[in-house]
Amino acid sequence: MPGKLKAKIVAGRHLPVMDRASDLTDAFVEVKFGNTTFKTDVYPKSLNPQWNSEWFKFEVDDEDLQDEPLQITVLDHDTYSANDAIGKVYIDIDPLLSSEAATVISGWFPIYDTIHGIRGEINVLVKVDLFNDLNRFRQSSCGVKFFCTTSIPRCYRAVMVHGFVEELVVNEDPEYQWIDRIRTPRASNEARQRLISLMSGELQRKIGLKVLEMGGNAVVGYLQCFDLEGESGLVVRAIGTACTLDKISNTYAPASAINPCNSSPSKDTKEAGFGEEAPGVPLSSGPPTPLRAQTFSSFSPSKSYSRQSSSSDTELSLTPKTGMGSGGSAGKEAGPLKALLRQQTQSALEQREFPFFTLTSFPAGFLLHVGGVVSARSVKLLDRIHNPDEPETRDAWWEEIRQEIKSHAKALGCHAVVGYSESTSICEEVCILSASGTAAVLSSRFMQDGALDMDHRFEDLAPPGCGFCHIPYDELNMPFPAQLTYCHCCRRFKVPDVLFTTIDLPTEANVTGKGCLIQARLCRTKKKAQGEGNATAISNLLPFLEYELHTQLMNKLKLRSMNALFGLRIQISIGENMLLGLASATGVYLTPLPSPGGIQIAGKTPSDITYEQHISNMQKKINDTIAKNKELYEVNPPELVEEVIGSPIPEPRQRSRLFRSHSESSDEVSELDLSHGKKDAFVLEIDDTDAVEDIHSLLTDAPTPPGFYSCNTEIMPGIYNWTSALQMFTSVRVFRLSNVNLTNQGLNKVFNDLCENLLKSLYFKLRSMVPCCLCHLNFTVAVPEDELIQVAVTAVAMSFDKEQTLENGRQSCDKTLMKAITENEEQLQFPLELTAESSSNPLSSAKGLSEVSGALPSARAPSVDYSSFTDRCSSWIEQLRLKAHTIRRGSIKTMSSLEKASPLPEGRSRSLRSNRSYAGGSVAVVKMTPLSFIPGTKIIKYLGIINMFFIRETTSLREEGGVSGFLHSFIAEVFAMVRAHVAALGGNAVVSYSMKECVFMENPNKNQAQCLINVSGDAVIFVRESELEATPPQPQSASTQTSSSGEGT
Amino acid sequence: MTMELDVFVGNTTIIDEEVYQLWLDGFSVADAVKMRLENGALGECEVSGEVLHSDTMDQYRTFQMCERLLHCPSKLANQLLFQIPAHHQAMLIERYYEFDHMFAREVLGKKLSKGTKKDLDDISSKTGIALKSCRRQFDNFKRVFKVVEELKGPLAENVQHHFLLSDLLAKDYAAVVFFANSRFETGKKKLQYLSFQDFAFCACQLISYWTVGAVDNMMDDMDVDLEKEFLHDLKDLKVLVNDKDMLDQHKSLVCSQLRGRIRVFTEMEANFKNLSRALINIASKLTNTKDVRDLFIDLVEKFIEPCRSDKWTAGDLTLFLTHYTSTASTLETFRYQVIWERYMGVVKSCILKMYHD
């Protein structure tokens, strides 16, 4: 009996009227856990009953504690007939099982009924007394923490990253059991909800066991999915990354004071996530800092490590004191050693079955090189799962796919896959399994016990701003045709011409300008077929679909003058008579990569004059768009190109790939010799109407309206000064194709318009938040029925301060200059302590900053021994001075914006008081975001994972406002229930929120509709950074405070 | 090819005040979209009708879902379904309960019953206010009336407390409830020139001075009803016209005060007895519910119209009523000063408010 669960039913409110005669309700509550049920007394004739029950105690195994939810059913007592159910609340008690998460669940929960929706609220208190069980063979895994966040959670430090964990459980779907014919829809829905809740509990427990086996204590990037396979059953599967996490002690908290104006996540990852490594402020994000401060205290034993100057050991990692000499030679010497080390790491990784990581952003120094996107798909025919206890078939399927991914990664010279994810699309009995990730080379630092300091030095030789772009594969033996140039930043290593990844933009990456959402959309018709024939047809179509999506992505990327994609997610959905492909990613201009050439259009029939006219018109349009986009996204790459071209780059191959597939023979890749200016141009050949159509659609992508930016990643490069204004939203659209005989082009257009219009609508709705950025724009497409296309989007709109954006153009200029500085400093081996110290602490005062500019020349001049550098040096100093001013202005501005944003900047004591009063009066505000952070705040505690599954059904669709009204209220209800659960855990936000499933079915003729929604996220407590600054933070007390305020609600 | 389903749900409920007003005004989605397009209030945002339609639909749905909560505004603050910032909650409630004075003028004093509700389409066509909006306003009146009808304590405060309205709006509701309860006649042709504001002012006066709550705040007072005892005592004022001496004396005192100060002095002197008799008669009859209902029509017919036909200015009237009231108190044999002042205070301010074209 290693656990005692206690629950107390306090009160209800806003209950529905169950007795028409009296307009009142005689409510009582059943509390059920496992097979034990308790009942409260009946509270007669009230819509706001006060049960104030005793503590109901359940003595249970911790295995059950993990698997089972606490079931609370509110009923209306009826003397003569059966009691009517009002609704239910399922409470996942997992957060109470970890000592570091929540201690009590207490609050108002919406009472939910699958037919009527939310019907009043109930106030419940839940506690768990857990007895330690050290049994080695135990089946439970209490205490393993789960995070949906795909990076190391903010208030933790990664000690070890163990690697991939996966599990799946299968069962029969209650909806398809024989009993479903005789039971009510409500009973069937509830059976389904309960089963899925049980299955996900079991899944988590099993994954937890695997983590414990590996020696870890947490799962990061936990991704759980449902496959509703219909007749063949129900699969719940999950993947994640096992880690050993350390909670960062309070002493690190003041680190946040170092950089208060930095509300970008970069700082948080660095400081909070990896406190030990000292808060680095990467050049590319955060407020303008004069120097890139990237350091690893462990490499600099000679430096006394103090918090204030933590980021002062600038460049030590790049140029260790024991140094390899300057610049270029270091690279050379490092070469063999590096190779050696890679072997080491590789062998470490190869011991694992799957060196996969679901993380999308990493501890500094973990991600060394990125190879590119690897993906695998397979089409399977579903058959009934005969034995739920042996889910081997499904396991084998995934195993197969993972092996393929692994071999793809190897082909790219990479030993690991990061940003890994898996998904399925099911239509009738055909199922597409997809997996994708980014092949990468990782540092062994987080993977083995014991430090490998010596090795790290070489690993880190590549500057962090560009290191990850350097190719991991062998130049002479490239896995695919790519054009290599020397890195535009360090000029020592080779980089590819474009880079596609599924991860988030590394915070330290050197980026020019801003990024933007790039989507490729494709719709292909398919003949209706059954069984194997259908599966074959689908697998035959898939390569074409992927190829075209890739082409589209590439074209759109070029059109925006960008050279890299992050967060790439390709979704392929199957319907009875069509296949949908949607690829979303965030395009950026990576400074280390070469500038992309333009797009050139070539016609095949040059004889016709009007035709040529037409082509030149289009060419002009394209050129104009490119120019406009350059301006819009502030892509003005530094004019280093000239220099580089003269430098030891291998002969730029005069080769342009043709990325236009002909509808008949799509694999044709011809070599053309066309150039656009000095750079290689990208050629689009028009030979059929298809291509015209394509170019047309390329150009019709509406630009984002002024003041808006969009991306599907966590952060938007080029925007740092977020305000606290935040709006998470979900939008769903279903489009009915009435014309069944649509051509591919017609379908494409419909699908394209659907997505574009959806985006337009979002921009319009959120216009009051301008300037703002839609982050983590996550599209999901589905073909719920023959002629229906469903698109669902969940994203967050975040406002930022405009003032600083205007300066941004300059900043990026400065940035490249700064880069030049850092580069040369490396050569000079000049530790700029003073500069870095003050720069790391812009808040400390503007004085500190002016010191930077003042002190620099004197500190610097004597040690400059290369005379050729002096001139440039002084101009940098000029720049620094200018920059110092910018910073001063910048930081002040941001400060004021923070003050504006937070209602009570005076200090936490006051704000807590106000919090408490809030709790008494009205409902506490719970923020939700798909991102792993909330700008301007610091997450002080993770309360546990939120993973909820709801079904809603109606038999009075028209009365509920049609399908839109039905879904609108359902989504609102789901939000409300998530918020209520978070508030009951004592939290005030959900981060890494996602709606993983939204299955909508309707039958308007029968006036019926049903919808299933699965959401997940991490419940957290955050505090405003402005409050943290005011008084020394005490996260412990704060959390108890807040949770107590939560109790009040 | 049609959009089958189109929803947008924010964690924080987005509320467009402009669309909310259109919804309250009873416009259909199509009309609202047209209005929004015409208004051009969308500024530089280039939006198509499609986008506007989708946005308007979303907003309308949100409002429809909120409406249930708005019927009991205190619920809005502690419901969990919509996360609405406090200032938006206040705006939603205030706007929902705001009403058109034109509409209120029409139903003022009428019984808030089903019968009246049936007449709403007449009112709608008369005032040009959409029937939907009329229904909402009427239902609001009825809802507020039902809740505060039986409550003790100051009427406006009760309204404010239960419906979380602003001071001004709560006062207007108090007037509506008061009129509906006492069923004052406001529909006569002669009263048509009076606006809702005029009546609301009068209601406020009556509530403040003539109800039970007006005398004794501590008592379990009812603000809705006039104080019976006071109305009964008003009969005593008859002495002012019945006693010939007193009437003459009163007249001479007023005349001496006003000589040369008002333009219509001669007319006033000639008419004094009639005017005085009119006011006292109204007072003495107030014990009858029927006559209470006719208070305003009586004031207009018996007092305001004669004055108007003699072309009194508002200034003249003010001076007259002031001295008419004050001199009576100086009459030696007049013993009902308290009642007199309580009566005349209200009558005077009402008449002055009602004295316009």
Side-chain angles (χ1 to χ4, degrees), chain A residues 596-639:
Chain A
I599 298 176
Q600 193 150 347
I601 298 178
K604 262 199 172 167
T605 45
S607 52
D608 195 344
I609 295 172
T610 51
Y611 188 63
E612 271 188 358
Q613 188 96 39
H614 177 64
I615 285 182
S616 72
N617 264 344
M618 254 197 300
Q619 181 70 57
K620 196 177 164 295
K621 255 192 211 160
I622 286 181
N623 291 346
D624 287 352
T625 317
I626 292 179
K628 222 186 284 165
N629 279 334
K630 270 191 177 178
E631 205 177 309
L632 182 61
Y633 302 114
E634 290 154 23
V635 179
N636 20 6
E639 290 303 321

Side-chain angles (χ1 to χ4, degrees), chain A residues 16-48:
Chain A
V17 171
M18 296 301 283
D19 181 4
R20 284 274 149 233
S22 64
D23 267 4
L24 288 167
T25 297
D26 306 318
F28 71 101
V29 182
E30 274 182 13
V31 187
K32 187 177 175 197
F33 189 83
N35 293 320
T36 321
T37 308
F38 293 104
K39 277 183 196 176
T40 65
D41 298 332
V42 174
Y43 193 92
K45 305 213 179 308
S46 172
L47 298 182
N48 300 291

Side-chain angles (χ1 to χ4, degrees), chain A residues 727-728 734 736 738 767 979, chain B residues 1-2 4 11-12 16:
Chain A
Q727 170 70 281
M728 190 281 295
V734 175
R736 183 176 287 279
S738 51
R767 63 196 184 284
R979 286 194 302 258
Chain B
M1 273 173 272
T2 44
E4 187 94 357
N11 183 37
T12 307
D16 186 317

Side-chain angles (χ1 to χ4, degrees), chain A residues 13-14 108 110 121 727-738 750 754 757 761-762 764-767 922-923 925-928 963-965 967-969 971-973 975-976 979 1000 1002, chain B residues 1-14 16 18-19 36 42 44-48 50-52 54-59 61-62 65 75 77-83 86 89:
Chain A
R13 67 180 183 196
H14 308 333
W108 288 101
E121 288 127 34
Q727 170 70 281
M728 190 281 295
F729 58 85
T730 291
S731 185
V732 182
R733 285 192 177 184
V734 175
F735 197 83
R736 183 176 287 279
L737 307 159
S738 51
V750 166
L754 181 59
N757 288 338
S761 263
L762 296 182
F764 177 70
K765 286 222 193 269
L766 299 161
R767 63 196 184 284
S922 54
V923 181
V925 172
V926 174
K927 295 204 174 199
M928 288 166 81
V963 283
S964 296
L967 194 61
H968 192 141
S969 55
I971 294 175
E973 281 167 352
F975 285 179
R979 286 194 302 258
F1000 178 77
E1002 57 166 331
Chain B
M1 273 173 272
T2 44
M3 195 66 75
E4 187 94 357
L5 181 157
D6 177 8
V7 295
F8 174 99
V9 189
N11 183 37
T12 307
T13 307
I14 295 183
D16 186 317
E18 188 200 339
V19 185
R36 292 180 81 185
L42 310 162
E44 59 285 12
C45 297
E46 282 170 43
V47 285
S48 59
E50 221 175 306
V51 169
L52 266 184
S54 141
D55 180 57
T56 312
M57 283 291 280
D58 265 326
Q59 294 275 329
R61 265 199 308 273
T62 309
M65 284 189 247
K75 265 192 193 167
N78 56 21
Q79 51 84 33
L80 301 176
L81 189 57
F82 297 105
Q83 187 158 279
Q89 284 184 19

Side-chain angles (χ1 to χ4, degrees), chain A residues 708-741:
Chain A
F708 274 107
Y709 292 93
S710 58
C711 62
N712 75 336
T713 48
E714 287 250 312
I715 37 164
M716 177 70 163
I719 300 177
Y720 316 113
N721 36 335
W722 302 108
T723 64
S724 61
L726 193 87
Q727 170 70 281
M728 190 281 295
F729 58 85
T730 291
S731 185
V732 182
R733 285 192 177 184
V734 175
F735 197 83
R736 183 176 287 279
L737 307 159
S738 51
N739 185 356
V740 194
N741 300 318

Side-chain angles (χ1 to χ4, degrees), chain A residues 260-486:
Chain A
C261 50
N262 183 348
S263 54
S264 91
S266 59
K267 182 209 61 188
D268 272 340
T269 3
K270 286 281 154 40
E271 287 173 12
F274 309 100
E276 190 196 70
E277 275 125 37
V281 180
L283 199 73
S284 59
S285 59
T289 352
L291 281 171
R292 175 171 355 144
Q294 185 69 50
T295 184
F296 306 101
S297 55
S298 53
F299 311 147
S300 54
S302 60
K303 284 260 170 275
S304 67
Y305 171 61
S306 76
R307 222 168 296 118
Q308 291 87 349
S309 63
S310 53
S311 50
S312 68
D313 328 28
T314 317
E315 303 315 323
L316 266 183
S317 59
L318 306 180
T319 331
K321 279 197 174 153
T322 54
M324 306 296 303
S326 52
S329 63
K332 258 183 237 154
E333 281 172 51
L337 273 165
K338 194 171 172 179
L340 192 82
L341 177 87
R342 188 177 294 174
Q343 273 172 9
Q344 277 179 16
T345 325
Q346 202 151 344
S347 63
L349 272 168
E350 261 161 14
Q351 287 162 9
R352 286 156 222 241
E353 195 184 5
F354 297 113
F356 296 172
F357 300 86
T358 53
L359 300 178
T360 57
S361 70
F362 304 89
F366 190 47
L367 184 70
L368 297 181
H369 305 294
V370 169
V373 170
V374 284
S375 74
R377 277 177 223 285
S378 104
V379 182
K380 297 287 181 193
L381 263 180
L382 298 173
D383 50 348
R384 189 171 268 282
I385 300 169
H386 295 292
N387 185 359
D389 293 329
E390 286 172 16
E392 267 111 14
T393 343
R394 303 294 184 279
D395 263 340
W397 289 354
W398 285 112
E399 168 103 18
E400 207 177 281
I401 286 203
R402 290 177 192 137
Q403 285 297 354
E404 197 178 332
I405 291 271
K406 193 178 169 183
S407 67
H408 283 331
K410 217 175 241 169
L412 283 174
C414 297
H415 55 228
V417 176
V418 295
Y420 180 72
S421 67
E422 295 174 347
S423 62
T424 56
S425 168
I426 298 169
C427 178
E428 298 294 313
E429 70 278 279
V430 177
C431 172
I432 303 185
L433 311 183
S434 316
S436 72
T438 306
V441 176
L442 299 177
S443 147
S444 58
R445 162 130 36 100
F446 292 98
M447 294 197 265
Q448 284 157 19
D449 286 314
L452 291 161
D453 280 5
M454 274 305 284
D455 302 323
H456 287 158
R457 193 169 293 149
F458 303 114
E459 288 280 353
D460 292 317
L461 261 172
C466 63
F468 74 95
C469 307
H470 302 158
I471 51 162
Y473 38 84
D474 189 353
E475 197 182 327
L476 300 169
N477 196 8
M478 285 194 295
F480 50 82
Q483 223 170 342
L484 300 183
T485 50
Y486 275 101

